[in-house]
Amino acid sequence: MESIGLRATVEAMIFAGGDPVSCERMADVLGVDKGVIDGVCSELNEFYEQNGSALRVVKLGGQYQMSTRDEYAPIIRTLLDLKKDAPLSAAAMEVLAVIAYNEPVTKNFIERVRGVDCSGVVNTLLARGLIEERGRLDLPGRPMQYATSSNFMRCFGLESMGELPAIPDGTESNLQITLEEAIEAQNTEN
C-alpha cells in the first residue's frame, strides 16, 4: 500500500472503530508491522495539526482512538446539550489512585488501604467507565479484580500506566503502614 493510501486506511479504521482500536489488530489486518501503524498515526496527527483540524488521534496504551482537541469540548458539549460531569469526590480519587498504582486489585484490598467501605465509590467509577472488571482471583469467594480502563487513560491524558506520576518519597511507606494497620485492625475485629 502506498503511504497516502495506508494513512487514509488507518484513519478510516480508527474513525470507524469509535472505541479504541488495537495497534496490533490494525497491523494484522493490514499485514504490516506495529511500528508502521505507530508511524502512520504520528503522520495523521502532523497532518491534522498542519491543516488546523479539530481532530487528533490519541494513543491509549497499545490502542488508538479518534478524538477532538480539548479546546473544542465546550462547544461540543453545548451542541450535544451535555452537562459537564460532576468532578470526582476525594474518596473516588483515592480509590482511583489505589487501583491505578496497584492494579489489578480487589475491593477488599482497596478497603484495607482506605480503612472504609468502598462499594459505592467502586460502582461510581465503574459507571463512569474509569475502571473495569479484570477477572476473578482463584480464591474462596472468587473476588473480582479491578483495574483502570482505556477511558481512564484518555481522561488523564496517559499513553501508558508508566506515565503516572511517581509516588512522593515517604508516601509509599505511609501507605504500607496504613495497609499493615488496616490488616491488624481487621484481624482484631475478627
Side-chain angles (χ1 to χ4, degrees), residues 36-79:
V36 171
I37 300 297
D38 289 330
V40 169
C41 289
S42 292
E43 285 179 25
L44 280 169
N45 278 327
E46 287 174 24
F47 176 78
Y48 294 149
E49 185 71 31
Q50 290 171 356
N51 290 289
S53 176
L55 301 177
R56 65 182 175 162
V57 176
V58 292
K59 187 172 185 180
L60 309 166
Q63 301 178 321
Y64 287 98
Q65 185 173 27
M66 189 75 64
S67 175
T68 55
R69 295 194 184 282
D70 295 337
E71 58 265 30
Y72 295 96
I75 195 74
I76 292 169
R77 277 197 172 93
T78 303
L79 172 70

Side-chain angles (χ1 to χ4, degrees), residues 5-185:
L6 179 62
R7 185 172 73 190
T9 302
V10 169
E11 180 181 41
M13 293 169 81
I14 295 170
F15 177 80
D19 291 327
V21 180
S22 164
C23 178
E24 188 173 308
R25 177 72 177 135
M26 287 190 286
D28 287 345
V29 168
L30 296 173
V32 298
D33 185 63
K34 289 190 308 188
V36 171
I37 300 297
D38 289 330
V40 169
C41 289
S42 292
E43 285 179 25
L44 280 169
N45 278 327
E46 287 174 24
F47 176 78
Y48 294 149
E49 185 71 31
Q50 290 171 356
N51 290 289
S53 176
L55 301 177
R56 65 182 175 162
V57 176
V58 292
K59 187 172 185 180
L60 309 166
Q63 301 178 321
Y64 287 98
Q65 185 173 27
M66 189 75 64
S67 175
T68 55
R69 295 194 184 282
D70 295 337
E71 58 265 30
Y72 295 96
I75 195 74
I76 292 169
R77 277 197 172 93
T78 303
L79 172 70
L80 300 177
D81 197 29
L82 297 175
K83 305 293 183 248
K84 186 172 182 164
D85 291 333
L88 291 174
S89 67
M93 289 299 286
E94 287 175 11
V95 169
L96 203 50
V98 170
I99 294 170
Y101 283 97
N102 298 285
E103 63 184 23
V105 297
T106 62
K107 187 167 68 79
N108 187 25
F109 177 84
I110 300 165
E111 290 172 349
R112 288 188 309 183
V113 171
R114 293 193 63 236
V116 296
D117 178 64
C118 65
S119 299
V121 176
V122 168
N123 289 336
T124 298
L125 294 172
L126 282 167
R128 288 189 176 198
L130 294 171
I131 63 172
E132 60 191 13
E133 296 176 347
R134 284 278 175 89
R136 296 186 176 274
L137 283 179
D138 193 19
L139 295 173
R142 303 210 11 98
M144 181 61 66
Q145 294 185 98
Y146 299 97
T148 55
S149 65
S150 58
N151 189 40
F152 165 84
M153 293 175 62
R154 186 179 68 244
C155 289
F156 286 88
L158 303 173
E159 285 186 27
S160 72
M161 295 306 285
E163 292 181 356
L164 284 172
I167 297 174
D169 289 340
T171 305
E172 191 169 317
S173 61
N174 290 343
L175 179 63
Q176 187 63 36
I177 291 168
T178 304
L179 178 57
E180 289 169 0
E181 290 172 349
I183 292 170
E184 185 177 314

